[in-house]
Amino acid sequence: MTSDASAGSLVKALLPESEMPTHWYNIQADLPEPMAPHLHPGTKEPLGPEDLAPLFPMALIEQEVTGERYIEIPEAVQEIYRLWRPAPLIRARRLEKALGTSARIYYKYEGTSPVGSHKPNTAVAQAYYNAAEGITKLTTETGAGQWGASLAFAGQAFGIEVEVWQVKASFESKPYRRMLMETFGASVHPSPSDLTESGRAMLAKDPETPGSLGMAVSEAVEVAAGDPEARYSLGSVLNHVCLHQTVIGEEAIKQLAMFGEGAPDYIYGCAGGGSNLAGLAFPFIRENLAGATTEIIAVEPSACPSLTEGEFRYDHGDVAGLTPLMKMYTLGQDFVPDPIHSGGLRYHGMAPLVSHVKHLGLIDSMAVEQNVAFEAGVEFAKAEGVVPAPESTHAIAGALAKAREHTGEAGTGPSIVIGLSGHGFLDLPAYQSYVRGELG
């Protein structure tokens, strides 16, 4: 903890491009216990590279299992990153004043990317590695649409066709996300659809289902596995996705130093599949393992609380059971969450690496109700001028609750970092529902 005087009057910490991370950080190199391996869905034996080859390029398969601490970011990926990276770390001084808190609140803002969220950090990398191995088509799923739009953006950058299955509840309630995907050249289908065997089976079971990320994963995996020219791309959960997101935390460490801060007292990140949380938190866990004492809290929706109420066990990442078995906190592959507005958090499980660090006690978790999250999002927007993505409002809600515990002289309390995973400018109908008192 430092004094407010040491931070001066700085509001935004903007790193020069020369300070952008050149390597991704692999937390697997530093964990006190290795995570459990992914298992083949048929044999239940640990996966080998040949098992994943129908879905992923070899470079990403290697990143999934590597024990190297740092992986160099290819120059072609860095070139596209420079469109928006380094992303700003902002001191929320107006929010502090509105709350009357003594805490120093910062937010790492990923909404400056081309699609307004953190997702391009891995989409660009995945498109690059697929293109390098001659892949011409990628299939994927998306909830709220940030991931689908990110992969569509990255795909056109490297000349790859992108086909997206979007959770039906989000497809219907977030048309602008679909329009953004289509603007970048992707084809988009509501999930479950009648285009796949797994989708038809789900519709037969429940024709009115709102869909889920697990269902959409099944459809995207099925299509990729059946097309030798295609591969599958996942926007969260897997180790290589978490790896690519660590540019967030690496930048934040340098930017906190610009404010005169050492390790923060608290970090709050929203958690659905886990990639945004991992990207911010994993570099700080590295610092904790070396002696720092930052408390890291994953905040998830009460409607889908995998970390806070799920079981830590092997489960499939999709409904149809096509994906590998992964040891993670899960609500069960058949769990279909309510169609909340935080579409990116409606996932039954949690990234195995995030689950593992939770199991080891290296992070904590909490769940918040949808209205509580939106209340925090509106409060944040009024103070800071940024309308947060519905997913990010969960992290904000957790951070505001902590900040309100600390009163007294401004700037003398604990330091709190919020992972603001993206803006909510394409989610304004959800905010309208909240303002009108129509949210469930």
Side-chain angles (χ1 to χ4, degrees), residues 6 11 17 26 50 54 172 175 194 196 237 246 250 257 272 285-286 295 297 308 311 322 362 378 395 421 425 436:
S6 67
V11 174
E17 286 185 9
N26 178 26
E50 67 281 358
E172 294 174 348
D194 60 3
T196 66
V237 179
T246 56
E250 296 286 37
I285 293 177
R286 177 191 62 209
E295 186 174 341
I297 303 96
T308 48
E311 298 177 349
L322 301 177
L362 301 177
V378 169
S421 61
F425 299 160
R436 290 178 174 178

Side-chain angles (χ1 to χ4, degrees), residues 219-245:
E219 296 202 85
V221 168
E222 178 182 326
V223 172
D227 184 349
E229 301 299 319
R231 293 294 183 271
Y232 170 65
S233 188
L234 186 63
S236 192
V237 179
L238 293 178
N239 299 346
H240 65 265
V241 182
C242 296
L243 172 79
H244 300 153
Q245 293 293 354

Side-chain angles (χ1 to χ4, degrees), residues 321-378:
L322 301 177
T323 64
L325 286 160
M326 298 174 286
K327 194 167 186 182
M328 58 184 176
Y329 282 95
T330 177
L331 298 166
Q333 70 185 91
D334 294 325
F335 179 79
V336 179
D338 293 333
I340 57 174
H341 285 285
S342 299
L345 305 186
R346 295 179 67 247
Y347 187 60
H348 67 274
M350 183 57 61
L353 266 175
V354 173
S355 297
H356 187 58
V357 298
K358 159 80 174 185
H359 186 67
L360 293 177
L362 301 177
I363 66 171
D364 202 351
S365 65
M366 62 182 290
V368 300
E369 297 287 344
Q370 179 168 241
N371 274 290
V372 174
F374 271 95
E375 180 183 12
V378 169

Side-chain angles (χ1 to χ4, degrees), residues 3 13 23 37 49 53-54 68 89 107 121 188 206 219 221 231 249 262 287 335 339-340 343 359 415:
S3 69
H23 291 73
E68 292 185 36
L89 180 76
Y107 59 99
N121 295 330
V188 189
D206 181 6
E219 296 202 85
V221 168
R231 293 294 183 271
E287 303 304 300
F335 179 79
I340 57 174
H359 186 67
S415 54

